[in-house]
Amino acid sequence: MNVTVVGAGYVGLVTAACLAELGHRVVGVDHDQARVVLLQAGGVPIYEPGLDELVQRNQAAGRLRFTTSMAQGVDHAEVLFIAVGTPPQEDGSADLQHVLAVARQIGQHLQRPLVVVNKSTVPVGTGAAVADTIRQGLVARGHEALDFTVVSNPEFLKEGAAIEDFMRPDRIVIGVPPGAAGARARECMSQLYAPFNRHHERTVWMDVPSAELTKYAANAMLATRISFMNEMALLADQVGADIDAVRRGIGSDRRIGHSFLYAGTGYGGSCFPKDTRALMHTAMEQGTPMRVVSAVEAVNRAQKRQLVKRVVQLMGEDLSGRRFAVWGLSFKPNTNDMREAPSRVVIRELLERGADVAAFDPVATTEARRVLAEDLASTPALLQRLHVGDAAEGVLQGADALLILTEWKCFHSPDFARMRALMRDPLILDGRNLYDPQVLQSLGVTYLGIGRRNALGVARLGLTAPMPVAASELRAA
Ligand SMILES: NC(=O)c1ccc[n+]([C@@H]2O[C@H](COP(=O)([O-])OP(=O)(O)OC[C@H]3O[C@@H](n4cnc5c(N)ncnc54)[C@H](O)[C@@H]3O)[C@@H](O)[C@H]2O)c1
């Protein structure tokens, strides 16, 4: 099939490369010229495991090419995917300008029947708005009889495992409009996704508004699990329980399951924060406020500050002269995506309190340097006290504490003896609960996780009370 994918970002590029791998002839369109030039030269603008190989293989086979020209993209397509960004606006609503810009261009260039597939995450009603926009373009050109259908096919891939998720989806949600045009679009989508349904039917068919809402409901549910566990972890700290034991205890209940039950420094990324806010905005507009989702969002905002709160409890409000090492900058492992990453909140607050910060990430270094420089552009004095290093051990030198913010594999089994030798004080505040508190205690490392019987770490600091601990107590110790 001739497929065009508009938007060559995390979702669009993966969609284009995977559909090409299945044998379709795919054109990827992006309005970012530098991005397209890089792709045409065989480069890949994002870090996603296995993606560069997949892109290069399909380019070499002649099944995948890239252009900035929407005219070429529309001309090529039997099926056209919209996979452009829908960033949050000030009021939390999804900014649809990119989606509607693509719709306008389809209206300007369409010459023959087309199925338009909206893969961007968009509020209910966007499918209809896209159809209206295309229709207006056709009317303006006197082509109103041209047949096109807009379907909704939200994407559920996870950055870091995007290819696997796309190629072996749990389910494919497709919303089609009613009537004959919807039936034809359904036939077309069935054909396109047939390889995924060979073993068993994975497609969940529905109407367009339900498909649009399904995406928000899925992300809100996953975010809810995370915030729920983060709140439970705070309580575990206070009562001397281990949240990891609790996680295993409840995850083994089949009604609950193991996924998305990890307490940590809060969720980030390009999806959960913006999608929960957009959902709340839609709900407010409809007069049905989402109280659960509001609480989930508020808990997450507070959770991103939790580690620094602990640092302050231990060392006082003023961190001048203190030096902190940070491991992990991307919002999760196996991606260089820094959007809404907890590291941005943590690093800014440490710097604002006067500390020096030396940070390391195995993949996101370049992106982190760019994003953090942007975050701190209006406060150059803070930026001067930040160093993004190229080696995990390098940033530990002379540190008063190490904060772990992303659970990269390379952080799972470090040389603790060497860490102790490098750091001024062997104190680890682990925002991802990578280590066993008892083991670290036996190695002479003071360890505070999230809901991990922090009484153990506190005891090593010579204190008796569980967290929270007053800074004065630490100094006394
Ligand atoms: N990133 C994820 O993990 C993920 C997962 C599921 C769904 N989504 C959703 O998919 C959509 C895309 O997300 P993303 O992370 O891939 O975004 P992204 O920012 O990585 O990529 C978007 C791309 O679209 C291009 N673009 C924007 N307007 C354009 C236009 N008018 N014409 C051509 N190109 C244009 C941009 O240059 C950019 O390369 C969003 O709605 C997002 O919420 C993202």
Side-chain angles (χ1 to χ4, degrees):
M1 227 180 248
N2 284 353
V3 178
T4 291
V5 180
V6 186
Y10 287 90
V11 168
L13 198 50
V14 169
T15 302
C18 289
L19 289 175
E21 180 77 2
L22 294 177
H24 300 294
R25 293 168 296 279
V26 181
V27 170
V29 183
D30 202 292
H31 67 177
D32 180 340
Q33 184 149 18
R35 182 163 283 227
V36 168
V37 167
L38 178 68
L39 284 161
Q40 286 169 337
V44 168
I46 54 174
Y47 177 82
E48 181 60 48
L51 185 59
D52 42 3
E53 192 193 328
L54 200 64
V55 168
Q56 283 150 16
R57 184 166 63 239
N58 283 285
Q59 277 176 310
R63 289 189 298 265
L64 178 60
R65 63 191 168 86
F66 296 96
T67 176
T68 53
S69 163
M70 266 301 279
Q72 280 182 29
V74 174
D75 184 52
H76 169 81
E78 292 165 76
V79 180
L80 183 147
F81 283 84
I82 302 177
V84 296
T86 47
Q89 307 198 86
E90 277 289 295
D91 63 0
S93 61
D95 183 351
L96 297 177
Q97 61 162 312
H98 302 300
V99 171
L100 295 177
V102 175
R104 271 193 298 281
Q105 288 182 298
I106 295 171
Q108 282 162 16
H109 298 295
L110 193 64
Q111 300 286 355
R112 55 196 159 84
L114 180 68
V115 174
V116 177
V117 185
N118 193 11
K119 216 170 221 331
S120 296
T121 302
V122 290
V124 174
T126 305
V130 166
D132 283 348
T133 307
I134 296 174
R135 200 167 297 113
Q136 283 164 21
L138 296 181
V139 169
R141 291 165 49 219
H143 283 51
E144 54 270 35
L146 263 179
D147 179 29
F148 75 93
T149 311
V150 178
V151 310
S152 169
N153 172 214
E155 182 52 60
F156 297 97
L157 61 74
K158 299 182 291 296
E159 286 176 23
I163 293 169
E164 171 73 5
D165 285 350
F166 193 95
M167 290 301 207
R168 297 161 64 89
D170 288 342
R171 69 343 199 158
I172 300 167
V173 169
I174 303 181
V176 292
R184 282 200 299 279
R186 178 172 171 152
E187 184 52 40
C188 170
M189 294 304 287
S190 297
Q191 224 180 305
L192 187 74
Y193 283 143
F196 301 125
N197 292 318
R198 199 146 283 154
H199 183 253
H200 65 274
E201 181 62 46
R202 289 190 161 97
T203 310
V204 184
W205 296 99
M206 56 185 77
D207 56 83
V208 173
S210 302
E212 290 171 336
L213 189 57
T214 297
K215 174 65 190 175
Y216 285 103
N219 276 356
M221 173 66 90
L222 295 173
T224 301
R225 288 169 70 99
I226 293 172
S227 277
F228 174 83
M229 289 307 281
N230 281 336
E231 230 178 13
M232 203 54 85
L234 294 185
L235 181 61
D237 269 349
Q238 294 302 322
V239 298
D242 182 347
I243 195 65
D244 204 50
V246 176
R247 174 186 68 78
R248 284 181 273 118
I250 63 171
S252 49
D253 182 328
R254 268 178 297 169
R255 294 168 302 176
I256 296 175
H258 288 285
S259 301
F260 284 81
L261 290 183
Y262 289 87
T265 48
Y267 58 75
S270 70
C271 292
F272 290 2
K274 95 171 160 60
D275 293 348
T276 46
R277 271 176 240 145
L279 180 61
M280 283 191 282
H281 186 270
T282 303
M284 283 302 281
E285 275 184 341
Q286 299 299 322
T288 54
M290 308 222 77
R291 285 162 297 176
V292 172
V293 182
S294 300
V296 165
E297 221 256 328
V299 167
N300 192 59
R301 249 182 293 123
Q303 194 67 19
K304 286 186 178 178
R305 313 204 101 87
Q306 204 55 40
L307 280 193
V308 180
K309 202 168 149 194
R310 284 186 181 175
V311 169
V312 169
Q313 284 163 344
L314 293 167
M315 300 181 187
E317 301 276 350
D318 181 5
L319 299 176
S320 310
R322 300 278 190 177
R323 185 184 169 85
F324 294 92
V326 170
W327 277 4
L329 296 169
S330 56
F331 85 93
K332 67 172 181 177
N334 294 322
T335 181
N336 64 342
D337 199 337
M338 291 286 296
R339 288 179 281 189
E340 307 258 1
S343 63
R344 295 167 70 171
V345 176
V346 170
I347 287 174
R348 174 182 274 281
E349 201 170 336
L350 290 173
L351 294 170
E352 279 173 351
R353 290 179 178 279
D356 289 328
V357 176
F360 168 76
D361 189 284
V363 164
T365 314
T366 308
E367 183 65 357
R369 285 186 181 131
R370 184 187 72 75
V371 168
L372 292 167
E374 237 173 67
D375 284 356
L376 301 168
S378 60
T379 48
L382 299 195
L383 190 56
Q384 272 178 11
R385 280 188 273 110
L386 170 66
H387 165 69
V388 179
D390 292 313
E393 286 195 351
V395 300
L396 294 176
Q397 190 70 48
D400 289 289
L402 164 66
L403 279 65
I404 300 179
L405 303 181
T406 317
E407 65 274 34
W408 285 97
K409 282 263 183 323
C410 61
F411 300 149
H412 280 254
S413 308
D415 180 343
F416 290 109
R418 174 120 183 93
M419 288 169 73
R420 279 184 52 185
L422 286 169
M423 294 173 70
R424 197 186 300 170
D425 193 359
L427 168 62
I428 297 179
L429 293 119
D430 181 0
R432 297 298 172 187
N433 287 344
L434 298 185
Y435 313 126
D436 183 332
Q438 313 250 16
V439 172
L440 263 71
Q441 189 188 31
S442 69
L443 293 172
V445 176
T446 309
Y447 179 70
L448 300 173
I450 304 278
R452 298 300 306 283
R453 281 200 195 132
N454 285 312
L456 273 182
V458 170
R460 192 180 142 63
L461 291 167
L463 307 169
T464 47
M467 299 295 286
V469 179
S472 54
E473 288 181 280
L474 175 69
R475 285 196 211 98

